[in-house]
Amino acid sequence: MKTRHLIFAILSILASLAVPAIAQHDDATTREKLLRDQRLAKKVSLTAPRHSAIEKALIRIEKVGVTQFLDISFGGIYPQFGTISNGSGLGLGAAYGRRDIGHPSVALRTSAMITYRNYQRAQLQFGKIQPQGNRAERNIFYSDQLKSNVALEDRPDAHHFNLFGEIRYHRLPQMSFFGLGPDSLPNQRGDFLLQDISYELVGSYRWNNRLGVGLRGGLLDVKIDRGTKAAYSDVQDLFDPSQLPGLEASKFGHVTASSWVDYRDHPTNPHMGGVLFMSASHFSDRDLASFSFSRVQFDSRHYLPLGSVQRTLAVRLLASSDQANSGHQVPFFMQETLGGSDLLRGYPAFRFRDENLIYFSSEYRWEPAPAVQLAIFYDTGKVFPSWSNFELEGLKKSIGWALRFKTPDKMFLRIEIARSEEGIQFHFKIGPAF
Amino acid sequence: MRISRQKIILGTIIAWLIWAVMTVVTAEKFLPDDPIKVDPDHQPIEMPTEREISQIADFILNTFVTRPKPDEDPIPAAKNVNTLGEVPNSSWFTNRIGHRPMTLEELRKGPNQLQESEISAPFTITSAKSEGITPGFFVRDAGGIRYLFKFDPKDYPQLATSAEVISTKFFYAFGYHVPENYLLKVKESDFLIGSDARIDLGGGETRPMVSSDLRAILDRVPRNPNGTIQVLASRLISGRPVGGFKYYGTRSDDANDIIPHEHRRELRGLRVFSSWLNHDDSRSVNTLDVYVGDSPQGFIRHYLIDFGSTLGSGSVKPQTKRAGNEYMLEWSPIFKAAATFGIWDRKWRSIEYPYFPQIGRFEAKHFHPQHWKPEYPNPAFERMLPADALWATRIVMQFTDEMIREIVEVGELEHRAAETYLVETLIRRRDKIIQYYLSKTNPLIDFRLDSGRLQFSNAGIKEGLARRASYRYQWHAFDNEQESSSPLSGVEVTERPVVKVPEYDGPFLMVQIETLNESYSAWQEPIRVFLRRSGSWEIVGIERSGEFEQ
């Protein structure tokens, strides 16, 4: 054994012997001192709290709100993405809004969007406008569903009275057309380009959250041209002009009166109650005087909880009827349609088109979690030329399954698969079901 | 510089010697100043920077990451208790009703330093938010004191403000640091708009506040029949806010914070209090660390804040039925409901609540202390052991019916039946908590020495769980350095909660006691009571099952 090892061993033994004695006489060692010492030890190695990049982003979202976080605003202009209509594909756009123009409730709102299929939309509103959803919804979830949205929103700060002017422009270059009537063939698919611009004045009044009326009127300038989808022939090559009434029509004056009774428990996430919506419109052909018509529409939606708010039976009945003026016809591009993600989901968008429509949909919905809704659904309906020869035979049917995501306030995403005699349709849709 | 081998060896030996001394010294189970009454966690530190906590990240972490792991089995005993199993006073907690009787006046007063009459108009608004369903103002009263004014949702007068002021009194009495919350009745004309006041329009938009904004906001809050508005005035906490605390880990910038929060008894036991008051929002976002004093001489004090979502209130509407019954994300019920087309349903959905807009959803019939849940898993709650629960239950036991009634009265509920219902519900929930937790562990408490006898109380019998019990005990000599014990006598049984201290010359004694009752097997879990000779014997330690190896 080397000397230093020997010294080490001896000192170790001495130390071992000395420890109990030292310990016994260390009156200064107390719990308080121990705790102080532990804190002093930590004090020399303090570090500032660190956040991961994800946590930093989350903090910012919570601090400024999703709205502001997602607001990639350039001088008040902010981006949007969403769809323009059934079959438009996803698009990008920009919007600008300004509140408090001379009065807290007067606002200006304008937006434009283009999709990868070159669908285009532009809109300008000015006046006393119903408050919109938050900016995140406008940025991310914009979807022009051509809905009568004067009534069907649920915001505590919603105005009782709205009055605004609106200019809208659409360019929809790949509108599907399978022919008119309930017996159109799936393989006879063409397309056309629909371009329109409207100038409207919109007024609405709601007495309370349950009852309201609205009036919308203005001018509509329409242009039909050749569709751009390479896979399909243009409708003018595929159909006889007699099957395409209104092909040359271009200018309409129109007015729509509507009213609604809304007794849903939560309009944007209903589990019980219902809503009745009725409207009457008149479109006057100011160009050719051959395509004037009136339309009456009735939309009824009811929600029945099945022993629990977790389970809901939702039903919808939609009926629409056009009545052309004497000697006039209803333009084909303005006729009601079935098919697509909202009506008769087992068929492609705009699959059936005619002057009259009846549609019934029922869904059994259940919510395994507050943010998730599952549903199985059954849709049936048909289009037909006139009520005089309406019969229930020949109703088109589809069944399907849905997975939907929602907040406590509203549905924001739905993924649906539906089957019909013509095959299977998948729908990935931003926005609510009925 | 070259260091010789001898110096290295010598240094090593000295370091080892110091370590050995420390080891031996700290290996003593009981130190001279045990049991400590105060945790010296007020050591001066430099003011840390504000730590922000993401609610979403907190939800994700606590749902998926911080839950007890398999290697934590068994879950360790709480680490911040003294040798009697009590929580010493600290920057986290001040023993109040658990240690001394509180008068009704003290309970009514709670943390408040002022009388409501001392908070006088005009209330100058310094900022406001218009977004959301219930608005809020930061104001300065005539005396220059700053408050956050909170209001009730339009259709539910008194719902959130009364719940918050009532719960504040309870949490203060438990021992937590809470803000001063006052219930005021104000008039619209009491408000002035400050010259720099801006209104938050949401989405990051602000603009100078004008009188029409004030009217618009006050139109959205409920009015009393005489036109006044009930307001919760929360006095801004003195000191510098440095963010909330998390329910796990420690603050890396606070030298005083050495006990992982999930192992703090007052945070584990908070689960019991939260279940009683249905404080489902008991999460990091509703906590606040405040730097007290001037840097670098100050320290951090830890607060619980925002009790708007307690009792039957969900702050902006009545509490949801899920609250207290299921986490926001809980896989088992999701899969069950999904797989059965919703035919399988949560039992809590069928709970019927009496309709009191002032109270919301709060009930006692279906309430079960063990099954109660906060919004998402809380790492401290998840680690609550029977000893932690008993500590909290003993505090809950201090609240008499009269005290509960007195505290509920500070909510000034206009509807007499609602107030009565709230009092009765709190009493029934209290009783359920006491019955449940006392049945889950040995319920012996209040150990004391008197005339050479160790006396104690059986809380289970006191609270009516059983009519009688017997006690099996054995005395041991205890070696404080070695932490070992050796029996002094055989096992004995007594029918009365008192045992004679044996004649013994050594410095420490330990008696292990089991409670025998055929209805409660958990009562048999042993408790160890340690006595130290300090002139006469004194109780120096109490350990309950789960706090020592058996």
Side-chain angles (χ1 to χ4, degrees):
Chain A
M1 185 181 283
K2 292 183 178 176
T3 310
R4 63 173 179 273
H5 290 161
L6 186 63
I7 294 169
F8 179 79
I10 293 167
L11 285 173
S12 296
I13 292 164
L14 287 173
S16 301
L17 293 172
V19 163
I22 294 169
Q24 277 192 339
H25 291 90
D26 188 0
D27 294 334
T29 302
T30 60
R31 186 74 58 192
E32 186 174 336
K33 182 173 183 303
L34 273 181
L35 290 168
R36 282 183 198 279
D37 288 346
Q38 287 176 31
R39 285 169 175 133
L40 284 173
K42 182 175 179 182
K43 200 168 186 176
V44 297
S45 58
L46 293 181
T47 56
R50 286 184 184 171
H51 292 123
S52 66
I54 293 172
E55 197 169 0
K56 276 183 192 166
L58 290 172
I59 288 168
R60 178 156 166 71
I61 287 172
E62 291 159 21
K63 204 169 182 179
V64 301
V66 174
T67 54
Q68 182 74 358
F69 183 79
L70 297 170
D71 180 18
I72 311 163
S73 175
F74 303 96
I77 300 170
Y78 50 87
Q80 292 185 319
F81 86 92
T83 58
I84 290 178
S85 82
N86 260 320
S88 69
L90 280 173
L92 277 172
Y96 174 80
R98 196 175 154 199
R99 294 196 266 187
D100 275 4
I101 301 176
H103 187 275
S105 59
V106 175
L108 171 74
R109 196 184 289 165
T110 181
S111 64
M113 178 178 281
I114 184 167
T115 73
Y116 76 91
R117 286 179 179 152
N118 200 23
Y119 280 57
Q120 297 169 20
R121 174 189 56 75
Q123 188 175 24
L124 173 73
Q125 294 177 328
F126 176 77
K128 196 165 183 292
I129 308 171
Q130 184 79 3
Q132 273 192 322
N134 62 40
R135 190 170 297 173
E137 290 173 68
R138 299 202 299 272
N139 279 2
I140 295 179
F141 304 134
Y142 188 88
S143 181
D144 185 355
Q145 296 175 44
L146 306 176
K147 61 186 176 183
S148 301
N149 62 354
V150 288
L152 307 181
E153 290 204 33
D154 178 36
R155 288 176 58 84
D157 52 350
H159 303 146
H160 284 286
F161 175 66
N162 294 297
L163 182 65
F164 60 92
E166 181 178 69
I167 301 172
R168 274 191 305 189
Y169 166 78
H170 290 102
R171 183 177 185 276
L172 315 175
Q174 296 177 4
M175 295 291 286
S176 295
F177 185 72
F178 295 81
L180 297 178
D183 302 319
S184 60
L185 300 173
N187 55 1
Q188 200 169 21
R189 179 174 186 165
D191 72 343
F192 64 95
L193 180 149
L194 170 67
Q195 183 173 302
D196 68 64
I197 184 165
S198 65
Y199 310 88
E200 295 179 336
L201 190 64
V202 183
S204 70
Y205 185 80
R206 46 191 276 172
W207 283 270
N208 48 46
N209 285 337
R210 293 176 179 272
L211 193 63
V213 293
L215 194 66
R216 175 185 285 265
L219 294 172
L220 177 66
D221 195 342
V222 185
K223 179 186 170 191
I224 303 297
D225 211 331
R226 301 185 72 82
T228 62
K229 195 169 181 85
Y232 303 120
S233 301
D234 183 78
V235 293
Q236 295 178 57
D237 300 331
L238 209 56
F239 296 93
D240 185 86
S242 65
Q243 296 174 287
L244 300 170
L247 192 62
E248 304 299 324
S250 63
K251 284 187 172 59
F252 296 88
H254 76 91
V255 62
T256 298
S258 58
S259 63
W260 61 91
V261 181
D262 190 350
Y263 52 100
R264 293 170 294 183
D265 60 339
H266 198 314
T268 49
N269 184 23
H271 290 83
M272 66 171 70
V275 59
L276 301 173
F277 180 82
M278 289 154 284
S279 70
S281 309
H282 182 72
F283 291 82
S284 172
D285 179 2
R286 303 180 64 83
D287 198 15
L288 304 175
S290 300
F291 299 101
S292 299
F293 68 98
S294 299
R295 168 174 293 165
V296 179
Q297 203 172 54
F298 174 76
D299 191 349
S300 168
R301 308 170 190 192
H302 292 271
Y303 309 90
L304 181 68
L306 300 175
S308 163
V309 291
Q310 178 176 266
R311 301 180 293 265
T312 307
L313 179 66
V315 294
R316 180 184 184 188
L317 177 66
L318 174 67
S320 180
S321 178
D322 294 347
Q323 180 66 52
N325 287 9
S326 178
H328 288 232
Q329 288 179 291
V330 180
F332 78 96
F333 54 86
M334 296 177 82
Q335 293 182 13
E336 290 285 13
T337 66
L338 283 180
S341 59
D342 294 316
L343 301 171
L344 209 57
R345 287 164 278 189
Y347 290 87
F350 312 114
R351 172 65 184 83
F352 300 103
R353 192 184 287 260
D354 213 326
E355 293 181 10
N356 300 284
L357 171 153
I358 187 155
Y359 172 75
F360 175 78
S361 179
S362 61
E363 292 193 351
Y364 171 65
R365 300 170 176 174
W366 73 102
E367 296 180 2
V372 178
Q373 185 183 84
L374 298 172
I376 48 176
F377 56 80
Y378 172 76
D379 301 337
T380 184
K382 69 186 287 189
V383 296
F384 51 98
S386 72
W387 282 96
S388 58
N389 52 13
F390 170 73
E391 53 189 24
L392 283 172
E393 279 183 27
L395 285 169
K396 304 298 178 185
K397 304 173 183 71
S398 73
I399 58 169
W401 178 86
L403 168 64
R404 295 161 182 164
F405 297 95
K406 63 190 194 62
T407 66
D409 295 328
K410 65 172 66 174
M411 188 82 62
F412 61 86
L413 178 67
R414 56 190 172 109
I415 301 163
E416 296 174 344
I417 177 170
R419 181 184 172 82
S420 72
E421 62 185 4
E422 293 184 6
I424 292 174
Q425 296 288 322
F426 289 95
H427 303 291
F428 183 88
K429 187 85 177 178
I430 293 166
F434 70 86
Chain B
M1 187 179 72
R2 185 179 168 82
I3 302 171
S4 70
R5 243 178 222 180
Q6 283 81 357
K7 284 181 179 171
I8 292 172
I9 292 168
L10 194 61
T12 306
I13 290 168
I14 291 168
W16 177 83
L17 199 58
I18 292 169
W19 173 83
V21 170
M22 290 296 293
T23 304
V24 171
V25 170
T26 57
E28 285 188 345
K29 187 172 184 69
F30 299 106
L31 299 178
D33 58 340
D34 281 328
I36 58 168
K37 297 293 181 192
V38 177
D39 180 356
D41 69 346
H42 300 61
Q43 306 307 309
I45 59 166
E46 285 194 29
M47 184 162 68
T49 52
E50 184 172 351
R51 178 176 70 171
E52 295 172 298
I53 291 177
S54 159
Q55 296 186 54
I56 301 169
D58 196 54
F59 162 75
I60 293 169
L61 282 171
N62 290 330
T63 300
F64 299 107
V65 180
T66 64
R67 304 187 76 167
K69 301 183 177 51
D71 62 359
E72 272 188 87
D73 187 20
I75 289 169
K79 297 181 191 297
N80 70 315
V81 293
N82 65 17
T83 50
L84 295 176
E86 296 167 342
V87 175
N89 291 345
S90 70
S91 62
W92 295 82
F93 191 82
T94 300
N95 285 284
R96 296 192 180 102
I97 200 167
H99 267 206
R100 61 176 176 81
M102 288 180 78
T103 64
L104 297 179
E105 183 53 37
E106 278 181 292
L107 290 168
R108 285 186 74 95
K109 184 167 177 273
N112 293 356
Q113 299 298 307
L114 302 170
Q115 298 291 327
E116 273 77 0
S117 56
E118 295 176 81
I119 305 169
S120 53
F123 303 114
T124 305
I125 299 169
T126 55
S127 64
K129 73 179 179 79
S130 67
E131 281 278 303
I133 298 169
T134 53
F137 296 150
F138 281 97
V139 307
R140 199 184 297 276
D141 78 346
I145 300 174
R146 294 172 66 208
Y147 298 90
L148 170 61
F149 272 20
K150 302 183 193 178
F151 302 91
D152 288 301
K154 177 84 174 173
D155 297 330
Y156 301 95
Q158 302 192 294
L159 177 77
T161 54
S162 292
E164 179 146 15
V165 78
I166 290 169
S167 294
T168 302
K169 309 295 181 189
F170 275 108
F171 280 100
Y172 177 80
F174 297 148
Y176 297 95
H177 301 306
V178 296
E180 295 175 45
N181 287 332
Y182 301 87
L183 207 56
L184 306 179
K185 303 284 197 295
V186 301
K187 302 189 294 290
E188 188 171 332
S189 58
D190 289 339
F191 290 103
L192 290 178
I193 299 171
S195 55
D196 297 330
R198 296 189 70 81
I199 186 159
D200 180 358
L201 301 170
E205 290 181 53
T206 67
R207 63 164 167 71
M209 189 174 177
V210 295
S211 57
S212 60
D213 295 322
L214 176 62
R215 269 196 306 279
I217 289 172
L218 295 182
D219 279 347
R220 289 164 43 205
V221 303
R223 306 266 178 155
N224 295 317
N226 63 2
T228 59
I229 300 165
Q230 179 162 308
V231 170
L232 181 96
S234 187
R235 185 176 181 177
L236 299 195
I237 295 169
S238 174
R240 171 110 179 188
V242 288
F245 65 78
K246 295 182 179 179
Y247 282 87
Y248 63 94
T250 58
R251 271 189 85 121
S252 61
D253 54 357
D254 180 6
N256 289 310
D257 193 10
I258 56 173
I259 310 288
H261 301 170
E262 70 273 25
H263 297 316
R264 299 194 69 93
R265 175 155 286 172
E266 70 274 19
L267 295 187
R268 290 179 174 187
L270 179 60
R271 184 189 191 286
V272 173
F273 306 131
S274 296
S275 71
W276 185 20
L277 304 179
N278 202 27
H279 184 23
D280 68 313
D281 225 6
S282 40
R283 53 197 175 121
S284 295
V285 69
N286 290 323
T287 67
L288 187 65
D289 285 347
V290 174
Y291 186 80
V292 183
D294 296 324
S295 186
Q297 294 303 315
F299 64 95
I300 291 177
R301 185 176 290 147
H302 312 271
Y303 285 81
L304 301 182
I305 59 169
D306 200 349
F307 303 112
S309 181
T310 56
L311 307 175
S313 167
S315 288
V316 296
K317 57 186 176 184
Q319 194 59 278
T320 64
K321 286 189 171 184
R322 179 190 58 75
N325 293 301
E326 186 178 313
Y327 294 131
M328 287 164 66
L329 178 61
E330 201 169 319
W331 296 115
S332 170
I334 290 174
F335 288 132
K336 283 182 193 168
T340 59
F341 288 79
I343 294 167
W344 178 88
D345 202 356
R346 281 93 162 163
K347 285 181 182 170
W348 47 259
R349 282 200 210 271
S350 60
I351 296 174
E352 297 290 333
Y353 295 84
Y355 182 70
F356 291 118
Q358 305 88 342
I359 291 182
R361 292 198 178 97
F362 190 55
E363 63 85 45
K365 185 179 175 187
H366 298 269
F367 166 70
H368 190 291
Q370 180 66 8
H371 300 157
W372 180 89
K373 289 174 180 170
E375 284 289 74
Y376 49 83
N378 179 312
F381 293 7
E382 298 249 308
R383 288 166 177 82
M384 186 181 77
L385 296 174
D388 304 314
L390 181 67
W391 169 83
T393 303
R394 288 185 62 187
I395 292 176
V396 172
M397 284 165 56
Q398 305 308 312
F399 287 86
T400 63
D401 294 359
E402 187 186 14
M403 288 174 169
I404 292 170
R405 196 168 291 112
E406 191 77 13
I407 292 177
V408 168
E409 273 181 17
V410 301
E412 299 179 17
L413 292 170
E414 300 284 346
H415 200 297
R416 188 71 185 165
E419 186 177 279
T420 304
Y421 174 77
L422 182 55
V423 169
E424 288 172 355
T425 305
L426 281 166
I427 289 171
R428 290 174 63 196
R429 287 172 78 105
R430 175 203 62 189
D431 293 345
K432 279 193 165 185
I433 285 169
I434 293 170
Q435 296 273 322
Y436 178 75
Y437 287 116
L438 291 184
S439 73
K440 293 298 171 190
T441 191
N442 193 332
L444 302 188
I445 58 172
D446 295 339
F447 290 91
R448 58 219 180 260
L449 287 165
D450 185 22
S451 306
R453 293 166 185 274
L454 177 67
Q455 297 184 10
F456 46 88
S457 302
N458 184 329
I461 289 178
K462 194 174 163 188
E463 295 294 334
L465 275 75
R467 299 181 72 174
R468 63 178 65 88
S470 52
Y471 308 96
R472 183 162 58 204
Y473 66 97
Q474 185 176 30
W475 284 99
H476 300 254
F478 181 69
D479 185 328
N480 193 37
E481 279 85 37
Q482 301 299 321
E483 291 197 40
S484 61
S485 59
S486 52
L488 288 174
S489 59
V491 175
E492 297 180 62
V493 175
T494 176
E495 300 297 317
R496 295 181 54 228
V498 56
V499 291
K500 187 172 184 304
V501 180
E503 297 294 329
Y504 178 62
D505 292 335
F508 286 90
L509 273 172
M510 184 271 282
V511 60
Q512 182 162 307
I513 310 174
E514 299 165 14
T515 303
L516 306 177
N517 182 284
E518 59 189 17
S519 300
Y520 299 100
S521 58
W523 285 12
Q524 208 165 322
E525 292 171 353
I527 294 177
R528 291 178 178 177
V529 181
F530 298 85
L531 309 185
R532 177 172 57 193
R533 187 184 294 283
S534 176
S536 58
W537 290 110
E538 63 176 0
I539 297 172
V540 68
I542 299 171
E543 286 184 342
R544 295 176 185 275
S545 179
E547 296 179 309
F548 59 88
E549 289 184 18
Q550 295 181 45

